[in-house]
Amino acid sequence: MKETIKTSVEMICSVSELANLFRQGQDIRGFLLQVVQIVSHHMQSDVCSIFLYNEQKDHLVLEATAGLNPDMVGQLTLLSGEGLTGLALKELRPIREGRGRDNPYFKYIPESGEDRFESFLAVPIIRGIHRVGVLVLQDERSSRFSKSDAQALKAIASQLAATLENAQLLMALHGKNEPSATNTEASRLIRGTQVVEGVALGQAYQMEGPGFEDKLISACDDCYRTTIEDFHRAIDSTERQLEELQNRLEEELADVASLIFSAHLLMLRDEGFSGEMANLINEDTPPSDAVIHIANNYITLFANSDNPRMREKVLDIKDLGHRILENLLEEEGGHGDYSGQIILTNELLPSELLKLAAQNVEGLVLYGGGVTAHVSVLARSLLVPLLFTEDESIFRIPSNTPLALDTHQGLLIVNPDDNARKRITQLIESSDRIDELENAAMPETHTADGERVFLRATVNLLSDLKLARRLKAEGIGLYRSEFPFLIRSDFPSEEEQYLIYKQVVDGLDNSLVTLRTLDVGGDKILSYIPDAGEANPFLGLRAIRFLLENKKVFVGQLKAMIRAGGNKQIRILFPLISSLDDFLNARKIVIKSLGFLKRDGFGQFPMPKLGAMIELPSAVEMAPELSREADFLSLGTNDLVQYMLGVDRTNEKVADLFDVRHPAVLRAVKRVNDAAREANCPLSVCGIMSKDPRTVYYLMGLGVREFSMEPGKIPGMQEAVSRMDIQQAGRDAEILSGLGTQEEIRNYLDSLKIPEPAI
Ligand code: PEP
Ligand code: MG
């Protein structure tokens, strides 16, 4: 090891001498070639390559190599995040692999001649906040590079950064880092941001773009051989399939699935729809043309309606037409669903998402402002990988084009080549991690020095309960009650709500259950409430404000929750509390609801424990009073960050400003925690800060011991917490809450080297 460090130091000197050469007018490519040669010589590696980053195109270009095919220089491009090299740039960290190809993100580039190289080491080249490129070593021997090699290479990269940045600028000026011939990729990459993690292979299905009609007519050679009998058979099969789908959904997703396919079924038997199709067929129109013609008439009709609820039906009609056609052409063999399809669209309603998920959609790519918080939460619970992109070209991808989706890397690959397919297939195979997580989950969570911590489940759908049970959640820290409201076309009745909440209350052995009252408004719009036309819905009639204005809905929900609790003492949580008055008014309604239940013969129920969500700066200010009045507090950190920093949580354009480690946020949570402790009021944390081991460490250091997170995160967080020392966390939290800049906080947290969960 000593040997390597010594030679590395020598090499750094040689490299800085080289940098001088460059300043004295050495040709850029010649200079870069000298650099890679000298680095590979000193590090005794078979290969050294330099990739420079082109910011405009957001890709890396191979600019010099000693060891790989020199013809690839200027030709080979990798997107940020693509392959191990792109990953080093995207995540700004060294990537060291004993065998590069074992890492699922490895991207094999046959033309580069890298077949024989096993070991892989890449370090990002960064100058200030600018990404300059990546320095890569490869070697035929496996496990060739040690940690100290990575350190040495980092030192070299930092030594070279300024000079390479100049090279990068000059090349951009002369257009020299453009690939000069055709791109080696037959496939095309579209970049985006992960909303729901996952990978998928499938074919494009355009919900907006080139359409329905073309696809179905052109896909079919046998269309004209079908008869009216085939058509009737197709209608019967479609009806059977829809009923089966509805039944299955009601078993698996009872809370949200209620009659979700009812519009399809009604439509299917409608005289104006299937009746008209039959009339056309009887007048000698080929059956498939008749289906397409009538379905398209309806699509046009609904799509042009002023009523948003009518427009929502467009997808239903498309679905239905699609199913009838598939049944018509393939008879009993038709799938009529979205298996093998990746949907490209700019908007998606929760009900549409549910239907797509029920029909086995593989993945979703959403353009523009289409990713609302509830769609992303729902997609997460339904385990549908979801990528957000601002690249409009997704609408030019014809339906049926092969696609590979890798949201971890923020990539949609159009026409993936064999290597990309292989890689995604491997990732799909390894992504079914529930068994692994279940084996790792422990019944209790403790820090390394024995402090007890409670990790509870955030539940969005009833289907999350199963996972919460398997992964040993210690109770439900947050049940978001809005999904049954969002999916239906009217308020669910008190009885319907009771049945749903009962399942939540009985869902886990652990008796701690926190039911949150309806949090609608903001971007969670109920289609059946007249559009209030709010200019700023996040600042409008949202959450508890909506309920205090709509007391019947509030009382109905509270009665259903209290009844579901039975003799158990449940916790009821009010979202978006902005004052003590809000909380006291809500508590009065709870007391009234208990009275109504008694009056209506349901009997006497225990008073639930009542909690306030701290999500607004005003609630932070009022935390001392709220802690004295409430039975518990819950920090909703998604909204707290949004409202503290004035950064819309759904707006990707300001996503970089959504900084959970902003000093104002760290101080606000500290003040809330201090107030809660002073009043002996239990405090739990949910939302984004409870998912990240670094913010959990900080919060634990403050004294927080209760967290709520999506069940899938629990085992990993358990493992991360078990490596933390509570005494040390206390000292670090004290320091962190005194730091004044985002940079200082970032650096301090980085220096603590809190590892990401290993599972
Ligand atoms: C939060 O704001 O942190 C939270 C958990 O609530 P939601 O994400 O449902 O607004
Ligand atoms: Mg919230």
Side-chain angles (χ1 to χ4, degrees):
M1 196 165 85
K2 258 190 175 152
E3 181 64 14
T4 316
I5 290 173
K6 184 163 161 277
T7 50
S8 304
V9 171
E10 282 171 14
M11 178 178 50
I12 290 168
C13 297
S14 322
V15 163
S16 40
E17 276 163 28
L18 263 179
N20 280 333
L21 273 182
F22 175 63
R23 271 177 228 120
Q24 288 158 21
Q26 166 97 352
D27 153 70
I28 303 172
R29 283 253 162 86
F31 158 73
L32 292 177
L33 188 60
Q34 275 184 281
V35 173
V36 289
Q37 283 168 345
I38 196 165
V39 175
S40 102
H41 172 74
H42 279 280
M43 297 295 288
Q44 295 172 8
S45 67
D46 296 327
V47 178
C48 175
S49 311
I50 289 180
F51 289 77
L52 290 186
Y53 179 55
N54 179 326
E55 199 172 347
Q56 254 178 353
K57 302 206 159 178
D58 193 19
H59 68 196
L60 289 160
V61 183
L62 176 69
E63 293 296 359
T65 182
L68 293 184
N69 176 1
D71 292 346
M72 298 298 286
V73 170
Q75 302 289 314
L76 174 59
T77 61
L78 291 169
L79 280 177
S80 157
E82 190 185 359
L84 296 178
T85 305
L87 198 63
L89 183 83
K90 183 176 174 210
E91 298 192 350
L92 295 181
R93 64 181 175 94
I95 308 272
R96 186 168 62 92
E97 288 292 340
R99 269 168 56 95
R101 73 197 68 219
D102 287 350
N103 184 316
Y105 289 111
F106 178 77
K107 182 176 162 76
Y108 171 58
I109 298 161
E111 305 87 336
S112 68
E114 64 179 350
D115 309 48
R116 54 208 167 87
F117 302 121
E118 299 274 337
S119 304
F120 182 96
L121 173 62
V123 299
I125 310 166
I126 314 156
R127 176 141 158 82
I129 56 165
H130 291 290
R131 289 156 198 242
V132 178
V134 181
L135 192 54
V136 181
L137 300 184
Q138 287 169 280
D139 201 276
E140 278 189 24
R141 294 158 286 181
S142 56
S143 304
R144 164 69 188 76
F145 304 118
S146 63
K147 270 193 187 158
S148 55
D149 288 325
Q151 293 287 356
L153 200 63
K154 257 173 90 172
I156 294 162
S158 97
Q159 187 77 22
L160 278 171
T163 311
L164 289 180
E165 189 184 34
N166 287 336
Q168 181 194 33
L169 292 173
L170 282 173
M171 286 187 133
L173 200 67
H174 303 315
K176 279 194 182 165
N177 67 350
E178 294 295 311
S180 48
T182 51
N183 196 321
T184 51
E185 299 285 332
S187 52
R188 191 162 72 84
L189 293 142
I190 291 181
R191 289 185 49 77
T193 323
Q194 168 181 307
V195 181
V196 179
E197 64 179 37
V199 277
L201 276 177
Q203 295 186 325
Y205 181 89
Q206 283 286 355
M207 264 172 62
E208 309 293 325
F212 174 74
E213 194 171 355
D214 298 346
K215 178 192 160 197
L216 292 166
I217 288 180
S218 60
C220 153
D221 294 330
D222 284 342
C223 303
Y224 300 101
R225 299 207 197 118
T226 51
T227 62
I228 183 82
E229 286 75 30
D230 295 330
F231 170 75
H232 286 305
R233 261 198 302 276
I235 295 286
D236 290 345
S237 309
T238 305
E239 185 171 65
R240 237 185 358 263
Q241 286 166 359
L242 289 170
E243 279 167 359
E244 276 167 21
L245 204 55
Q246 180 69 48
N247 291 342
R248 182 160 58 79
L249 213 56
E250 287 194 0
E251 269 168 35
E252 289 170 12
L253 293 164
D255 44 345
V256 285
S258 162
L259 299 181
I260 197 120
F261 287 102
S262 60
H264 287 64
L265 284 162
L266 279 177
M267 194 72 169
L268 186 67
R269 291 297 179 191
D270 186 58
E271 265 310 296
F273 191 73
S274 56
E276 270 307 303
M277 291 173 183
N279 290 344
L280 283 182
I281 299 167
N282 286 329
E283 287 163 15
D284 283 343
T285 306
S288 54
D289 283 2
V291 172
I292 288 168
H293 181 73
I294 298 295
N296 281 344
N297 281 353
Y298 272 81
I299 289 169
T300 314
L301 196 74
F302 284 120
N304 293 328
S305 166
D306 290 337
N307 181 343
R309 289 182 60 192
M310 296 286 266
R311 287 202 299 275
E312 282 175 24
K313 299 285 172 255
V314 170
L315 184 71
D316 291 354
I317 305 288
K318 284 189 181 180
D319 262 12
L320 201 54
H322 203 155
R323 267 183 188 278
I324 300 171
L325 274 179
E326 287 217 6
N327 284 319
L328 183 65
L329 303 176
E330 298 180 26
E331 303 211 357
E332 294 299 308
H335 297 110
D337 69 9
Y338 291 89
S339 312
Q341 316 239 28
I342 293 175
I343 307 285
L344 310 173
T345 184
N346 70 359
E347 211 186 356
L348 202 62
L349 295 165
S351 53
E352 291 173 335
L353 172 58
L354 193 65
K355 282 175 231 172
L356 293 170
Q359 297 176 89
N360 308 317
V361 71
E362 307 289 345
L364 296 168
V365 181
L366 264 104
Y367 168 78
V371 189
T372 53
H374 55 292
V375 164
S376 44
V377 166
L378 196 57
R380 209 165 285 131
S381 283
L382 295 167
L383 308 174
V384 181
L386 170 55
L387 185 80
F388 166 85
T389 181
E390 289 192 326
D391 189 336
E392 251 180 302
S393 72
I394 61 161
F395 297 118
R396 294 193 290 277
I397 302 171
S399 282
N400 288 333
T401 305
L403 298 177
L405 180 64
D406 179 353
T407 73
H408 301 279
Q409 293 208 62
L411 287 180
L412 175 70
I413 309 172
V414 184
N415 287 318
D417 60 16
D418 286 350
N419 287 312
R421 289 180 163 279
K422 220 163 98 193
R423 185 172 67 78
I424 298 286
T425 310
Q426 274 173 3
L427 286 171
I428 292 172
E429 281 161 7
S430 64
S431 66
D432 189 13
R433 303 168 60 228
I434 304 295
D435 286 345
E436 187 196 343
L437 290 175
E438 189 174 8
N439 289 337
M442 293 167 289
E444 290 185 357
T445 307
H446 296 270
T447 61
D449 47 345
E451 187 73 18
R452 184 87 163 83
V453 175
F454 296 87
L455 303 186
R456 307 203 158 105
T458 293
V459 170
N460 304 314
L461 299 180
L462 290 180
S463 56
D464 296 332
L465 289 168
K466 195 165 149 205
L467 196 58
R469 260 193 317 271
R470 284 181 67 184
L471 302 184
K472 306 190 179 63
E474 290 200 73
I476 297 171
L478 172 68
Y479 169 63
R480 288 187 168 106
S481 64
E482 43 274 6
F483 291 100
F485 288 77
L486 286 166
I487 302 284
R488 281 173 178 68
S489 46
D490 202 350
F491 285 108
S493 68
E494 186 185 313
E495 198 59 26
E496 273 182 283
Q497 291 184 59
Y498 160 73
L499 292 172
I500 295 169
Y501 304 150
K502 181 102 184 77
Q503 293 195 53
V504 180
V505 170
D506 297 339
L508 304 188
D509 292 339
N510 190 298
S511 61
L512 190 137
V513 178
T514 315
L515 304 176
R516 180 173 77 180
T517 56
L518 190 57
D519 183 358
V520 290
D523 69 339
K524 300 175 197 164
I525 305 297
L526 299 179
S527 59
Y528 43 92
I529 296 272
D531 184 1
E534 294 177 306
N536 295 300
F538 274 111
L539 306 181
L541 202 61
R542 193 189 150 185
I544 196 68
R545 302 170 183 182
F546 173 85
L547 287 179
L548 289 171
E549 283 280 311
N550 292 277
K551 297 238 169 53
K552 253 175 100 172
V553 181
F554 197 7
V555 169
Q557 183 172 42
L558 288 170
K559 283 168 71 190
M561 287 180 168
I562 295 166
R563 280 175 58 204
N567 290 327
K568 284 189 191 166
Q569 191 171 43
I570 53 166
R571 311 208 303 179
I572 293 182
L573 179 60
F574 306 121
L576 214 74
I577 289 289
S578 64
S579 61
L580 184 59
D581 309 60
D582 275 353
F583 179 79
L584 296 176
N585 287 334
R587 184 162 69 191
K588 277 187 204 146
I589 312 282
V590 175
I591 294 167
K592 271 195 181 157
S593 303
L594 283 164
F596 291 145
L597 283 168
K598 194 165 174 205
R599 182 199 65 192
D600 296 344
F602 286 102
Q604 185 98 28
F605 292 93
M607 175 75 177
K609 296 234 181 240
L610 301 183
M613 280 194 90
I614 307 293
E615 305 185 280
L616 293 167
S618 55
V620 174
E621 287 299 323
M622 299 310 296
E625 285 81 357
L626 286 166
S627 311
R628 284 195 287 276
E629 290 298 334
D631 298 309
F632 66 102
L633 298 185
S634 171
L635 265 165
T637 53
N638 298 331
D639 277 314
L640 185 71
V641 175
Q642 157 166 270
Y643 291 115
M644 290 277 318
L645 304 183
V647 177
D648 181 345
R649 63 193 261 193
T650 65
N651 182 346
E652 288 294 323
K653 291 195 175 70
V654 287
D656 287 352
L657 302 177
F658 193 91
D659 182 3
V660 288
R661 295 180 290 266
H662 191 291
V665 174
L666 296 197
R667 289 181 195 182
V669 297
K670 178 174 182 337
R671 287 176 57 202
V672 174
N673 178 66
D674 290 347
R677 294 189 120 194
E678 172 78 30
N680 227 346
C681 176
L683 169 72
S684 102
V685 176
C686 57
I688 188 160
M689 284 180 107
S690 63
K691 290 186 207 168
D692 180 343
R694 284 171 297 183
T695 39
V696 165
Y697 179 78
Y698 171 73
L699 289 159
M700 285 192 353
L702 295 181
V704 178
R705 297 290 180 267
E706 298 178 45
F707 299 89
S708 188
M709 61 200 73
E710 278 147 17
K713 299 266 178 220
I714 290 176
M717 191 59 79
Q718 244 180 359
E719 186 253 351
V721 167
S722 72
R723 282 183 278 150
M724 295 177 186
D725 180 302
I726 204 77
Q727 302 297 328
Q728 187 56 41
R731 289 188 287 274
D732 288 326
E734 192 59 40
I735 294 171
L736 279 160
S737 59
L739 298 178
T741 66
Q742 287 159 275
E743 194 184 351
E744 283 171 310
I745 291 174
R746 215 173 23 246
N747 291 342
Y748 192 87
L749 282 169
D750 284 350
S751 75
L752 297 175
K753 300 209 167 28
I754 297 163
E756 285 295 317
I759 42 172

